[in-house]
PDB file of all heavy atoms in Angstrom:
ATOM      1  N   VAL A   1       0.819  -1.230  -0.008  1.00  0.00           N
ATOM      2  CA  VAL A   1      -0.036   0.003  -0.011  1.00  0.00           C
ATOM      3  C   VAL A   1       0.840   1.253  -0.012  1.00  0.00           C
ATOM      4  O   VAL A   1       0.299   2.363  -0.220  1.00  0.00           O
ATOM      5  CB  VAL A   1      -0.985   0.024   1.210  1.00  0.00           C
ATOM      6  CG1 VAL A   1      -1.862  -1.206   1.231  1.00  0.00           C
ATOM      7  CG2 VAL A   1      -0.167   0.092   2.506  1.00  0.00           C
ATOM      8  N   LYS A   2       2.139   1.169   0.267  1.00  0.00           N
ATOM      9  CA  LYS A   2       2.975   2.390   0.339  1.00  0.00           C
ATOM     10  C   LYS A   2       3.562   2.720  -0.992  1.00  0.00           C
ATOM     11  O   LYS A   2       3.904   1.850  -1.823  1.00  0.00           O
ATOM     12  CB  LYS A   2       4.074   2.135   1.381  1.00  0.00           C
ATOM     13  CG  LYS A   2       3.540   1.944   2.783  1.00  0.00           C
ATOM     14  CD  LYS A   2       4.637   1.828   3.790  1.00  0.00           C
ATOM     15  CE  LYS A   2       5.377   3.087   3.973  1.00  0.00           C
ATOM     16  NZ  LYS A   2       4.544   4.212   4.463  1.00  0.00           N
ATOM     17  N   LYS A   3       3.788   4.004  -1.259  1.00  0.00           N
ATOM     18  CA  LYS A   3       4.345   4.529  -2.476  1.00  0.00           C
ATOM     19  C   LYS A   3       5.534   5.445  -2.125  1.00  0.00           C
ATOM     20  O   LYS A   3       5.468   6.226  -1.187  1.00  0.00           O
ATOM     21  CB  LYS A   3       3.284   5.297  -3.285  1.00  0.00           C
ATOM     22  CG  LYS A   3       2.107   4.445  -3.741  1.00  0.00           C
ATOM     23  CD  LYS A   3       2.587   3.376  -4.765  1.00  0.00           C
ATOM     24  CE  LYS A   3       1.421   2.566  -5.255  1.00  0.00           C
ATOM     25  NZ  LYS A   3       1.825   1.608  -6.300  1.00  0.00           N
ATOM     26  N   THR A   4       6.590   5.356  -2.949  1.00  0.00           N
ATOM     27  CA  THR A   4       7.768   6.093  -2.683  1.00  0.00           C
ATOM     28  C   THR A   4       7.731   7.525  -3.171  1.00  0.00           C
ATOM     29  O   THR A   4       7.416   7.758  -4.349  1.00  0.00           O
ATOM     30  CB  THR A   4       9.010   5.402  -3.233  1.00  0.00           C
ATOM     31  OG1 THR A   4      10.174   6.211  -3.057  1.00  0.00           O
ATOM     32  CG2 THR A   4       8.839   5.127  -4.744  1.00  0.00           C
ATOM     33  N   LEU A   5       7.954   8.468  -2.292  1.00  0.00           N
ATOM     34  CA  LEU A   5       8.097   9.880  -2.696  1.00  0.00           C
ATOM     35  C   LEU A   5       9.499  10.216  -3.129  1.00  0.00           C
ATOM     36  O   LEU A   5       9.678  10.974  -4.070  1.00  0.00           O
ATOM     37  CB  LEU A   5       7.698  10.774  -1.497  1.00  0.00           C
ATOM     38  CG  LEU A   5       7.804  12.278  -1.754  1.00  0.00           C
ATOM     39  CD1 LEU A   5       6.782  12.716  -2.769  1.00  0.00           C
ATOM     40  CD2 LEU A   5       7.618  13.036  -0.414  1.00  0.00           C
ATOM     41  N   ALA A   6      10.500   9.531  -2.529  1.00  0.00           N
ATOM     42  CA  ALA A   6      11.896   9.771  -2.850  1.00  0.00           C
ATOM     43  C   ALA A   6      12.222   9.501  -4.330  1.00  0.00           C
ATOM     44  O   ALA A   6      12.936  10.246  -4.991  1.00  0.00           O
ATOM     45  CB  ALA A   6      12.840   8.993  -1.906  1.00  0.00           C
ATOM     46  N   MET A   7      11.687   8.391  -4.842  1.00  0.00           N
ATOM     47  CA  MET A   7      11.910   8.052  -6.257  1.00  0.00           C
ATOM     48  C   MET A   7      10.814   8.664  -7.114  1.00  0.00           C
ATOM     49  O   MET A   7      11.031   8.936  -8.308  1.00  0.00           O
ATOM     50  CB  MET A   7      11.917   6.529  -6.437  1.00  0.00           C
ATOM     51  CG  MET A   7      12.188   6.082  -7.882  1.00  0.00           C
ATOM     52  SD  MET A   7      12.224   4.295  -8.139  1.00  0.00           S
ATOM     53  CE  MET A   7      13.740   3.925  -7.258  1.00  0.00           C
ATOM     54  N   GLY A   8       9.645   8.843  -6.552  1.00  0.00           N
ATOM     55  CA  GLY A   8       8.533   9.356  -7.374  1.00  0.00           C
ATOM     56  C   GLY A   8       8.757  10.731  -7.915  1.00  0.00           C
ATOM     57  O   GLY A   8       8.384  11.022  -9.078  1.00  0.00           O
ATOM     58  N   VAL A   9       9.297  11.646  -7.139  1.00  0.00           N
ATOM     59  CA  VAL A   9       9.516  13.036  -7.620  1.00  0.00           C
ATOM     60  C   VAL A   9      10.545  13.098  -8.736  1.00  0.00           C
ATOM     61  O   VAL A   9      10.267  13.672  -9.799  1.00  0.00           O
ATOM     62  CB  VAL A   9       9.891  13.947  -6.441  1.00  0.00           C
ATOM     63  CG1 VAL A   9      10.254  15.306  -6.937  1.00  0.00           C
ATOM     64  CG2 VAL A   9       8.745  14.057  -5.461  1.00  0.00           C
ATOM     65  N   PRO A  10      11.732  12.484  -8.574  1.00  0.00           N
ATOM     66  CA  PRO A  10      12.721  12.562  -9.692  1.00  0.00           C
ATOM     67  C   PRO A  10      12.226  11.899 -10.951  1.00  0.00           C
ATOM     68  O   PRO A  10      12.445  12.367 -12.093  1.00  0.00           O
ATOM     69  CB  PRO A  10      13.964  11.867  -9.149  1.00  0.00           C
ATOM     70  CG  PRO A  10      13.841  11.954  -7.683  1.00  0.00           C
ATOM     71  CD  PRO A  10      12.335  11.864  -7.389  1.00  0.00           C
ATOM     72  N   LEU A  11      11.507  10.761 -10.787  1.00  0.00           N
ATOM     73  CA  LEU A  11      11.012  10.068 -11.969  1.00  0.00           C
ATOM     74  C   LEU A  11       9.915  10.880 -12.692  1.00  0.00           C
ATOM     75  O   LEU A  11       9.885  10.952 -13.918  1.00  0.00           O
ATOM     76  CB  LEU A  11      10.370   8.718 -11.572  1.00  0.00           C
ATOM     77  CG  LEU A  11      11.397   7.538 -11.299  1.00  0.00           C
ATOM     78  CD1 LEU A  11      10.563   6.286 -10.886  1.00  0.00           C
ATOM     79  CD2 LEU A  11      12.185   7.248 -12.545  1.00  0.00           C
ATOM     80  N   ALA A  12       9.103  11.550 -11.910  1.00  0.00           N
ATOM     81  CA  ALA A  12       8.041  12.395 -12.501  1.00  0.00           C
ATOM     82  C   ALA A  12       8.674  13.553 -13.288  1.00  0.00           C
ATOM     83  O   ALA A  12       8.190  13.929 -14.346  1.00  0.00           O
ATOM     84  CB  ALA A  12       7.111  12.956 -11.426  1.00  0.00           C
ATOM     85  N   ILE A  13       9.787  14.096 -12.745  1.00  0.00           N
ATOM     86  CA  ILE A  13      10.417  15.222 -13.472  1.00  0.00           C
ATOM     87  C   ILE A  13      10.980  14.732 -14.827  1.00  0.00           C
ATOM     88  O   ILE A  13      10.906  15.443 -15.862  1.00  0.00           O
ATOM     89  CB  ILE A  13      11.513  15.819 -12.587  1.00  0.00           C
ATOM     90  CG1 ILE A  13      10.907  16.485 -11.366  1.00  0.00           C
ATOM     91  CG2 ILE A  13      12.380  16.807 -13.358  1.00  0.00           C
ATOM     92  CD1 ILE A  13      11.915  17.034 -10.389  1.00  0.00           C
ATOM     93  N   LEU A  14      11.528  13.505 -14.844  1.00  0.00           N
ATOM     94  CA  LEU A  14      12.041  12.986 -16.072  1.00  0.00           C
ATOM     95  C   LEU A  14      10.899  12.600 -17.076  1.00  0.00           C
ATOM     96  O   LEU A  14      11.035  12.858 -18.268  1.00  0.00           O
ATOM     97  CB  LEU A  14      12.904  11.747 -15.825  1.00  0.00           C
ATOM     98  CG  LEU A  14      14.269  11.946 -15.224  1.00  0.00           C
ATOM     99  CD1 LEU A  14      14.977  10.652 -14.943  1.00  0.00           C
ATOM    100  CD2 LEU A  14      15.079  12.858 -16.103  1.00  0.00           C
ATOM    101  N   ILE A  15       9.823  12.032 -16.543  1.00  0.00           N
ATOM    102  CA  ILE A  15       8.746  11.519 -17.411  1.00  0.00           C
ATOM    103  C   ILE A  15       7.893  12.672 -17.890  1.00  0.00           C
ATOM    104  O   ILE A  15       7.494  12.747 -19.069  1.00  0.00           O
ATOM    105  CB  ILE A  15       7.926  10.503 -16.655  1.00  0.00           C
ATOM    106  CG1 ILE A  15       8.739   9.263 -16.348  1.00  0.00           C
ATOM    107  CG2 ILE A  15       6.688  10.051 -17.551  1.00  0.00           C
ATOM    108  CD1 ILE A  15       8.028   8.232 -15.468  1.00  0.00           C
ATOM    109  N   PHE A  16       7.534  13.643 -16.996  1.00  0.00           N
ATOM    110  CA  PHE A  16       6.624  14.699 -17.311  1.00  0.00           C
ATOM    111  C   PHE A  16       7.273  16.093 -17.281  1.00  0.00           C
ATOM    112  O   PHE A  16       6.524  17.103 -17.296  1.00  0.00           O
ATOM    113  CB  PHE A  16       5.433  14.714 -16.307  1.00  0.00           C
ATOM    114  CG  PHE A  16       4.752  13.397 -16.157  1.00  0.00           C
ATOM    115  CD1 PHE A  16       4.933  12.594 -15.059  1.00  0.00           C
ATOM    116  CD2 PHE A  16       3.863  12.966 -17.139  1.00  0.00           C
ATOM    117  CE1 PHE A  16       4.261  11.399 -14.891  1.00  0.00           C
ATOM    118  CE2 PHE A  16       3.150  11.756 -16.963  1.00  0.00           C
ATOM    119  CZ  PHE A  16       3.380  10.990 -15.850  1.00  0.00           C
ATOM    120  N   GLY A  17       8.578  16.142 -17.246  1.00  0.00           N
ATOM    121  CA  GLY A  17       9.286  17.386 -16.998  1.00  0.00           C
ATOM    122  C   GLY A  17       8.981  18.524 -17.963  1.00  0.00           C
ATOM    123  O   GLY A  17       9.105  19.660 -17.585  1.00  0.00           O
ATOM    124  N   GLU A  18       8.659  18.192 -19.178  1.00  0.00           N
ATOM    125  CA  GLU A  18       8.388  19.196 -20.193  1.00  0.00           C
ATOM    126  C   GLU A  18       6.971  19.824 -20.081  1.00  0.00           C
ATOM    127  O   GLU A  18       6.667  20.775 -20.770  1.00  0.00           O
ATOM    128  CB  GLU A  18       8.601  18.626 -21.600  1.00  0.00           C
ATOM    129  CG  GLU A  18      10.018  18.184 -21.870  1.00  0.00           C
ATOM    130  CD  GLU A  18      10.178  17.639 -23.214  1.00  0.00           C
ATOM    131  OE1 GLU A  18       9.191  17.526 -23.980  1.00  0.00           O
ATOM    132  OE2 GLU A  18      11.313  17.247 -23.590  1.00  0.00           O
ATOM    133  N   ARG A  19       6.184  19.285 -19.191  1.00  0.00           N
ATOM    134  CA  ARG A  19       4.816  19.773 -19.080  1.00  0.00           C
ATOM    135  C   ARG A  19       4.727  20.864 -17.991  1.00  0.00           C
ATOM    136  O   ARG A  19       5.304  20.718 -16.888  1.00  0.00           O
ATOM    137  CB  ARG A  19       3.821  18.641 -18.733  1.00  0.00           C
ATOM    138  CG  ARG A  19       3.723  17.674 -19.860  1.00  0.00           C
ATOM    139  CD  ARG A  19       2.846  16.462 -19.492  1.00  0.00           C
ATOM    140  NE  ARG A  19       1.596  16.827 -18.993  1.00  0.00           N
ATOM    141  CZ  ARG A  19       0.606  15.902 -18.726  1.00  0.00           C
ATOM    142  NH1 ARG A  19       0.855  14.629 -18.937  1.00  0.00           N
ATOM    143  NH2 ARG A  19      -0.559  16.300 -18.260  1.00  0.00           N
ATOM    144  N   GLU A  20       4.027  21.955 -18.252  1.00  0.00           N
ATOM    145  CA  GLU A  20       3.897  23.047 -17.302  1.00  0.00           C
ATOM    146  C   GLU A  20       2.986  22.707 -16.097  1.00  0.00           C
ATOM    147  O   GLU A  20       2.997  23.386 -15.092  1.00  0.00           O
ATOM    148  CB  GLU A  20       3.400  24.336 -17.964  1.00  0.00           C
ATOM    149  CG  GLU A  20       2.017  24.212 -18.540  1.00  0.00           C
ATOM    150  CD  GLU A  20       1.494  25.524 -19.037  1.00  0.00           C
ATOM    151  OE1 GLU A  20       2.335  26.447 -19.216  1.00  0.00           O
ATOM    152  OE2 GLU A  20       0.289  25.627 -19.324  1.00  0.00           O
ATOM    153  N   ASP A  21       2.178  21.634 -16.276  1.00  0.00           N
ATOM    154  CA  ASP A  21       1.297  21.214 -15.186  1.00  0.00           C
ATOM    155  C   ASP A  21       1.881  20.103 -14.342  1.00  0.00           C
ATOM    156  O   ASP A  21       1.166  19.336 -13.681  1.00  0.00           O
ATOM    157  CB  ASP A  21      -0.049  20.760 -15.775  1.00  0.00           C
ATOM    158  CG  ASP A  21       0.089  19.657 -16.856  1.00  0.00           C
ATOM    159  OD1 ASP A  21       1.223  19.215 -17.084  1.00  0.00           O
ATOM    160  OD2 ASP A  21      -0.925  19.236 -17.470  1.00  0.00           O
ATOM    161  N   LEU A  22       3.231  20.037 -14.311  1.00  0.00           N
ATOM    162  CA  LEU A  22       3.863  19.022 -13.477  1.00  0.00           C
ATOM    163  C   LEU A  22       3.465  19.072 -12.034  1.00  0.00           C
ATOM    164  O   LEU A  22       3.252  18.065 -11.398  1.00  0.00           O
ATOM    165  CB  LEU A  22       5.414  19.208 -13.582  1.00  0.00           C
ATOM    166  CG  LEU A  22       6.267  18.266 -12.716  1.00  0.00           C
ATOM    167  CD1 LEU A  22       6.079  16.815 -13.093  1.00  0.00           C
ATOM    168  CD2 LEU A  22       7.724  18.614 -12.822  1.00  0.00           C
ATOM    169  N   PRO A  23       3.282  20.300 -11.373  1.00  0.00           N
ATOM    170  CA  PRO A  23       2.808  20.277  -9.987  1.00  0.00           C
ATOM    171  C   PRO A  23       1.446  19.570  -9.798  1.00  0.00           C
ATOM    172  O   PRO A  23       1.266  18.957  -8.758  1.00  0.00           O
ATOM    173  CB  PRO A  23       2.687  21.808  -9.670  1.00  0.00           C
ATOM    174  CG  PRO A  23       3.627  22.455 -10.613  1.00  0.00           C
ATOM    175  CD  PRO A  23       3.581  21.637 -11.850  1.00  0.00           C
ATOM    176  N   LEU A  24       0.546  19.679 -10.768  1.00  0.00           N
ATOM    177  CA  LEU A  24      -0.662  18.973 -10.636  1.00  0.00           C
ATOM    178  C   LEU A  24      -0.511  17.445 -10.703  1.00  0.00           C
ATOM    179  O   LEU A  24      -1.226  16.695 -10.043  1.00  0.00           O
ATOM    180  CB  LEU A  24      -1.631  19.428 -11.717  1.00  0.00           C
ATOM    181  CG  LEU A  24      -2.163  20.872 -11.678  1.00  0.00           C
ATOM    182  CD1 LEU A  24      -3.174  21.158 -12.771  1.00  0.00           C
ATOM    183  CD2 LEU A  24      -2.741  21.217 -10.300  1.00  0.00           C
ATOM    184  N   ILE A  25       0.464  17.018 -11.548  1.00  0.00           N
ATOM    185  CA  ILE A  25       0.748  15.604 -11.640  1.00  0.00           C
ATOM    186  C   ILE A  25       1.385  15.077 -10.329  1.00  0.00           C
ATOM    187  O   ILE A  25       1.096  13.967  -9.931  1.00  0.00           O
ATOM    188  CB  ILE A  25       1.688  15.366 -12.819  1.00  0.00           C
ATOM    189  CG1 ILE A  25       1.057  15.751 -14.100  1.00  0.00           C
ATOM    190  CG2 ILE A  25       2.166  13.888 -12.902  1.00  0.00           C
ATOM    191  CD1 ILE A  25       1.972  15.696 -15.318  1.00  0.00           C
ATOM    192  N   LEU A  26       2.178  15.901  -9.668  1.00  0.00           N
ATOM    193  CA  LEU A  26       2.786  15.536  -8.407  1.00  0.00           C
ATOM    194  C   LEU A  26       1.810  15.585  -7.192  1.00  0.00           C
ATOM    195  O   LEU A  26       2.097  15.044  -6.158  1.00  0.00           O
ATOM    196  CB  LEU A  26       3.975  16.384  -8.124  1.00  0.00           C
ATOM    197  CG  LEU A  26       5.236  16.174  -8.975  1.00  0.00           C
ATOM    198  CD1 LEU A  26       6.270  17.228  -8.627  1.00  0.00           C
ATOM    199  CD2 LEU A  26       5.802  14.772  -8.688  1.00  0.00           C
ATOM    200  N   LEU A  27       0.710  16.335  -7.368  1.00  0.00           N
ATOM    201  CA  LEU A  27      -0.224  16.503  -6.222  1.00  0.00           C
ATOM    202  C   LEU A  27      -0.703  15.184  -5.661  1.00  0.00           C
ATOM    203  O   LEU A  27      -0.704  15.063  -4.376  1.00  0.00           O
ATOM    204  CB  LEU A  27      -1.377  17.392  -6.691  1.00  0.00           C
ATOM    205  CG  LEU A  27      -2.383  17.786  -5.610  1.00  0.00           C
ATOM    206  CD1 LEU A  27      -1.691  18.565  -4.511  1.00  0.00           C
ATOM    207  CD2 LEU A  27      -3.520  18.633  -6.180  1.00  0.00           C
ATOM    208  N   PRO A  28      -1.159  14.232  -6.371  1.00  0.00           N
ATOM    209  CA  PRO A  28      -1.650  12.950  -5.740  1.00  0.00           C
ATOM    210  C   PRO A  28      -0.501  12.277  -4.964  1.00  0.00           C
ATOM    211  O   PRO A  28      -0.774  11.712  -3.841  1.00  0.00           O
ATOM    212  CB  PRO A  28      -2.085  12.091  -6.968  1.00  0.00           C
ATOM    213  CG  PRO A  28      -2.471  13.106  -7.994  1.00  0.00           C
ATOM    214  CD  PRO A  28      -1.483  14.180  -7.841  1.00  0.00           C
ATOM    215  N   VAL A  29       0.715  12.250  -5.472  1.00  0.00           N
ATOM    216  CA  VAL A  29       1.830  11.657  -4.756  1.00  0.00           C
ATOM    217  C   VAL A  29       2.081  12.382  -3.436  1.00  0.00           C
ATOM    218  O   VAL A  29       2.334  11.785  -2.402  1.00  0.00           O
ATOM    219  CB  VAL A  29       3.079  11.626  -5.637  1.00  0.00           C
ATOM    220  CG1 VAL A  29       4.222  10.912  -4.919  1.00  0.00           C
ATOM    221  CG2 VAL A  29       2.821  10.949  -6.953  1.00  0.00           C
ATOM    222  N   MET A  30       2.039  13.724  -3.522  1.00  0.00           N
ATOM    223  CA  MET A  30       2.265  14.574  -2.330  1.00  0.00           C
ATOM    224  C   MET A  30       1.176  14.350  -1.258  1.00  0.00           C
ATOM    225  O   MET A  30       1.450  14.382  -0.066  1.00  0.00           O
ATOM    226  CB  MET A  30       2.374  16.027  -2.742  1.00  0.00           C
ATOM    227  CG  MET A  30       3.547  16.351  -3.535  1.00  0.00           C
ATOM    228  SD  MET A  30       5.111  16.070  -2.648  1.00  0.00           S
ATOM    229  CE  MET A  30       4.869  17.169  -1.245  1.00  0.00           C
ATOM    230  N   LEU A  31      -0.011  14.122  -1.690  1.00  0.00           N
ATOM    231  CA  LEU A  31      -1.135  13.925  -0.746  1.00  0.00           C
ATOM    232  C   LEU A  31      -1.119  12.497  -0.200  1.00  0.00           C
ATOM    233  O   LEU A  31      -1.401  12.269   0.980  1.00  0.00           O
ATOM    234  CB  LEU A  31      -2.465  14.212  -1.427  1.00  0.00           C
ATOM    235  CG  LEU A  31      -2.741  15.648  -1.830  1.00  0.00           C
ATOM    236  CD1 LEU A  31      -4.001  15.727  -2.633  1.00  0.00           C
ATOM    237  CD2 LEU A  31      -2.748  16.560  -0.628  1.00  0.00           C
ATOM    238  N   TYR A  32      -0.720  11.552  -1.031  1.00  0.00           N
ATOM    239  CA  TYR A  32      -0.748  10.167  -0.608  1.00  0.00           C
ATOM    240  C   TYR A  32       0.356   9.866   0.432  1.00  0.00           C
ATOM    241  O   TYR A  32       0.151   9.088   1.365  1.00  0.00           O
ATOM    242  CB  TYR A  32      -0.533   9.235  -1.840  1.00  0.00           C
ATOM    243  CG  TYR A  32      -0.797   7.800  -1.640  1.00  0.00           C
ATOM    244  CD1 TYR A  32      -2.011   7.240  -1.931  1.00  0.00           C
ATOM    245  CD2 TYR A  32       0.202   6.916  -1.139  1.00  0.00           C
ATOM    246  CE1 TYR A  32      -2.257   5.902  -1.786  1.00  0.00           C
ATOM    247  CE2 TYR A  32      -0.040   5.587  -0.954  1.00  0.00           C
ATOM    248  CZ  TYR A  32      -1.273   5.045  -1.286  1.00  0.00           C
ATOM    249  OH  TYR A  32      -1.531   3.734  -1.085  1.00  0.00           O
ATOM    250  N   HIS A  33       1.459  10.575   0.312  1.00  0.00           N
ATOM    251  CA  HIS A  33       2.641  10.289   1.194  1.00  0.00           C
ATOM    252  C   HIS A  33       2.312  10.494   2.670  1.00  0.00           C
ATOM    253  O   HIS A  33       2.530   9.618   3.492  1.00  0.00           O
ATOM    254  CB  HIS A  33       3.840  11.108   0.766  1.00  0.00           C
ATOM    255  CG  HIS A  33       5.074  10.839   1.560  1.00  0.00           C
ATOM    256  ND1 HIS A  33       5.776   9.697   1.467  1.00  0.00           N
ATOM    257  CD2 HIS A  33       5.720  11.611   2.490  1.00  0.00           C
ATOM    258  CE1 HIS A  33       6.820   9.706   2.273  1.00  0.00           C
ATOM    259  NE2 HIS A  33       6.808  10.873   2.935  1.00  0.00           N
ATOM    260  N   PRO A  34       1.867  11.693   3.105  1.00  0.00           N
ATOM    261  CA  PRO A  34       1.562  11.859   4.511  1.00  0.00           C
ATOM    262  C   PRO A  34       0.365  10.995   4.959  1.00  0.00           C
ATOM    263  O   PRO A  34       0.318  10.549   6.131  1.00  0.00           O
ATOM    264  CB  PRO A  34       1.181  13.385   4.648  1.00  0.00           C
ATOM    265  CG  PRO A  34       0.813  13.792   3.244  1.00  0.00           C
ATOM    266  CD  PRO A  34       1.615  12.953   2.367  1.00  0.00           C
ATOM    267  N   LEU A  35      -0.610  10.696   4.068  1.00  0.00           N
ATOM    268  CA  LEU A  35      -1.753   9.871   4.443  1.00  0.00           C
ATOM    269  C   LEU A  35      -1.268   8.492   4.764  1.00  0.00           C
ATOM    270  O   LEU A  35      -1.743   7.894   5.775  1.00  0.00           O
ATOM    271  CB  LEU A  35      -2.734   9.860   3.268  1.00  0.00           C
ATOM    272  CG  LEU A  35      -3.911   8.905   3.470  1.00  0.00           C
ATOM    273  CD1 LEU A  35      -4.776   9.260   4.672  1.00  0.00           C
ATOM    274  CD2 LEU A  35      -4.788   8.916   2.187  1.00  0.00           C
TER     275      LEU A  35
END
């Protein structure tokens, strides 16, 4: 049930880095981590 934030953020930057809505893509990961 756990998801990695440490790897998730760098991978997201590589996969979606050219998109200006990257913060919205990261939002679910950022909310899931403290939960």
Side-chain angles (χ1 to χ4, degrees):
V1 303
K2 296 183 68 60
K3 297 294 182 177
T4 175
L5 178 66
M7 182 180 291
V9 173
L11 281 179
I13 293 175
L14 286 179
I15 297 173
F16 307 104
E18 296 181 357
R19 294 175 53 173
E20 65 175 13
D21 54 3
L22 177 62
L24 294 182
I25 298 174
L26 287 174
L27 184 60
V29 182
M30 292 298 300
L31 295 175
Y32 193 94
H33 183 70
L35 174 62

